[in-house]
Amino acid sequence: MSLDFTPTTVADIDPERRPSVGLALVPVFAVVVFLGVGSAVLGLDPHVPLLWSIVFTGAFGHYLGYAWEDLYDGIANGLLMGLQALLIIFTIYALIATWVDAGTIPAMMYYGLELLTPSVFLPVAAVLAAVVAFSIGSSWTTVGTLGVAFVGIGEGLGVPAAMTVGAVLSGAYAGDKQSPLSDTTNLAAGVTNTPLYDHIRRMRTGTAVAFGVAVAIFAVLGLQSSGAVPADRVAEIQTALAGAYDVSLLVFLPLVVTFGLALRGYPALPTLVVGAIAGVATSMLVQGTGFVPAWEVFMGGTAPETGTDLVDGLLETGGLTGSAWTITVVVAALVLGGLLEKTGVLAVLAHRLSQGVRSSGGLIAGTGVSAIAINALTAQQYMSIVLPGMTLRNLYEEFGLDSDELSRAVEAAGTPTGALIPWHAGGVFMASATGVPTLEYAPYYLFGLLSPLVLFAMAATGFGVPTTRRSERAQTAD
């Protein structure tokens, strides 16, 4: 992802319009109240609380002296930062529908039910998701394809869907964080002026610890949920799948095409578009779908009638038009984040954080906390990487820390935690793609919970934090 946006710093803000720390907390508190009351108490969809937050923050900006043109620029910057995420959401919704119609996802479910057992399913799902995400550099693509199939397999094996989604997300984000093909990995390295592979090496220990613990816990959960599966349940699901779809090996063509392009380093968006087109072609060639009906699936989704309600529910999709609910939530959240950035709220709070740092460990932990907070306020992981990554670079220099410590902190806390937030682009997409609400899978999304905790533990103990800067070590070696 190219960076066409430079975040506002305290020095950039006109002193007459610069909010104090106390004043900057007002819209933050309002957002928390609106989202908490609107979603948790009143049971509203997040659109309405987000609209309240946007209106309040816009009025706050007007109070500070910002004209509508200034606020509009902030909105545009927020949308620009999230544009790739929006386009990927559109495309993955269409891709999932075409892969269902092509028989790709039904076949993955069919063969997965033959190969996996409840006791090993969760750790295997996590590890396979990690391998795929590392190979293609995309956690979202992994969840939207492999993850959807695993939810169906888990249902057949009697594993709770929330556990399955937690395992898949844990593997997908762990693999994504270590992949040189990942957009967030490259972004974290880029905004902190860190060589890419230095950044990946610095993340390796924390990622391995967090993911290793997560897999161990999934193994225990798998043993606890490995009760006897009704003898006819798997057979019933497989019969329904085989009766409605041709599950020959040819239906894996879209999977091979998509992952093959990703492995060759093609960007995520065009790769997903080609994958969706491959799904349409496979629907026509293998399943016998007509040209027009195949493209109608691309647009409107699937509503299979396999004779089994469970299978019908798992394979029902919305297609491109079905992404409207998700897209509107993400757009509203991006608008809010752009306004909070433009009005200087985020810059003032980040500056206050830098003033309160007293140690290198505190700086690293504070960076992680700021990344999580920005995730919650701006609803997309790019901003959680860019803002602290660019505004705290000089402070890391002052504390004698290499830039890869900063890049590690923003990605370890910023990238995986977005899927834990119900109104975040990641949380909205994962819930919509898998059919499991964010707050239901969140307790089982162990890597998202453990990754920042491991970062904080390493910062507190000094483990993995060098006491001498790499440049100084290099000079000594010479």
Side-chain angles (χ1 to χ4, degrees):
M1 174 187 173
S2 61
L3 180 62
D4 298 315
F5 165 72
T6 301
T8 302
T9 65
V10 168
D12 297 329
I13 306 172
D14 183 344
E16 295 183 359
R17 299 193 295 190
R18 183 187 303 154
S20 64
V21 173
L23 195 58
L25 287 172
V26 171
V28 173
F29 179 74
V31 170
V32 172
V33 171
F34 289 149
L35 288 169
V37 173
S39 299
V41 178
L42 300 178
L44 294 169
D45 284 340
H47 305 70
V48 175
L50 284 169
L51 175 61
W52 297 342
S53 302
I54 290 168
V55 172
F56 185 93
T57 306
F60 175 80
H62 182 70
Y63 169 78
L64 293 177
Y66 287 93
W68 163 245
E69 290 76 13
D70 299 321
L71 299 177
Y72 183 80
D73 286 342
I75 291 172
N77 284 331
L79 292 172
L80 175 64
M81 286 293 292
L83 180 59
Q84 177 168 276
L86 291 171
L87 294 175
I88 286 176
I89 289 172
F90 271 124
T91 308
I92 287 185
Y93 267 79
L95 179 142
I96 292 173
T98 62
W99 282 27
V100 168
D101 198 54
T104 306
I105 289 176
M108 292 168 68
M109 293 168 55
Y110 182 91
Y111 293 111
L113 287 168
E114 284 191 347
L115 298 173
L116 296 171
T117 63
S119 59
V120 302
F121 173 69
L122 288 174
V124 168
V127 171
L128 286 178
V131 171
V132 171
F134 174 81
S135 301
I136 66 176
S138 173
S139 56
W140 286 31
T141 303
T142 301
V143 175
T145 54
L146 187 69
V148 173
F150 272 138
V151 169
I153 296 169
E155 288 281 358
L157 296 175
V159 178
M163 288 187 183
T164 301
V165 175
V168 172
L169 260 64
S170 293
Y173 275 96
D176 181 284
K177 268 167 42 62
Q178 288 297 122
S179 175
L181 302 176
S182 167
D183 57 351
T184 55
T185 301
N186 280 274
L187 182 63
V191 300
T192 58
N193 288 334
T194 303
L196 176 61
Y197 286 97
D198 285 352
H199 167 58
I200 290 174
R201 280 191 292 270
R202 181 59 64 195
M203 288 196 300
R204 189 169 296 158
T205 300
T207 302
V209 171
F211 186 57
V213 172
V215 170
I217 295 175
F218 285 128
V220 174
L221 290 174
L223 292 173
Q224 292 177 346
S225 63
S226 60
V229 180
D232 60 346
R233 182 172 186 174
V234 171
E236 178 188 1
I237 294 173
Q238 288 184 313
T239 299
L241 291 169
Y245 300 93
D246 182 336
V247 292
S248 66
L249 295 180
L250 288 175
V251 300
F252 290 106
L253 176 63
L255 185 72
V256 173
V257 169
T258 303
F259 288 175
L261 290 175
L263 288 170
R264 290 185 63 85
Y266 286 90
L269 189 58
T271 295
L272 292 171
V273 171
V274 173
I277 294 173
V280 171
T282 304
S283 295
M284 293 187 291
L285 295 175
V286 180
Q287 305 298 340
T289 307
F291 181 82
V292 171
W295 283 105
E296 288 176 341
V297 165
F298 177 94
M299 287 298 300
T302 57
E305 296 180 357
T306 65
T308 302
D309 290 341
L310 173 62
V311 176
D312 291 347
L314 289 170
L315 297 180
E316 184 176 357
T317 64
L320 187 66
T321 57
S323 66
W325 190 95
T326 304
I327 289 292
T328 50
V329 172
V330 175
V331 166
L334 294 174
V335 168
L336 174 60
L339 288 173
L340 289 170
E341 197 281 330
K342 184 64 177 181
T343 54
V345 169
L346 300 180
V348 168
L349 295 179
H351 181 68
R352 180 65 183 87
L353 168 68
S354 67
Q355 290 181 321
V357 171
R358 295 292 180 268
S359 66
S360 59
L363 175 58
I364 294 171
T367 303
V369 170
S370 68
I372 296 171
I374 293 168
N375 247 338
L377 292 172
T378 65
Q380 48 100 2
Q381 59 195 16
Y382 299 139
M383 195 79 84
S384 73
I385 292 172
V386 171
L387 282 172
M390 297 189 73
T391 57
L392 298 177
R393 285 189 306 201
N394 291 339
L395 199 57
Y396 273 70
E397 286 283 336
E398 292 176 15
F399 275 86
L401 292 173
D402 286 325
S403 63
D404 57 11
E405 290 295 336
L406 173 57
S407 65
R408 177 186 65 146
V410 295
E411 186 161 18
T415 300
T417 55
L420 292 166
I421 303 168
W423 59 88
H424 188 278
V428 171
F429 170 76
M430 300 306 172
S432 183
T434 62
V436 180
T438 307
L439 295 181
E440 288 187 19
Y441 70 65
Y444 302 103
Y445 174 29
L446 299 179
F447 183 78
L449 299 170
L450 290 169
S451 180
L453 291 179
V454 170
L455 173 71
F456 299 150
M458 293 175 71
T461 61
F463 177 72
V465 180
T467 56
T468 306
R469 295 175 61 185
R470 180 176 295 107
S471 58
E472 294 172 351
R473 292 197 299 270
Q475 291 174 3
T476 301
D478 292 338

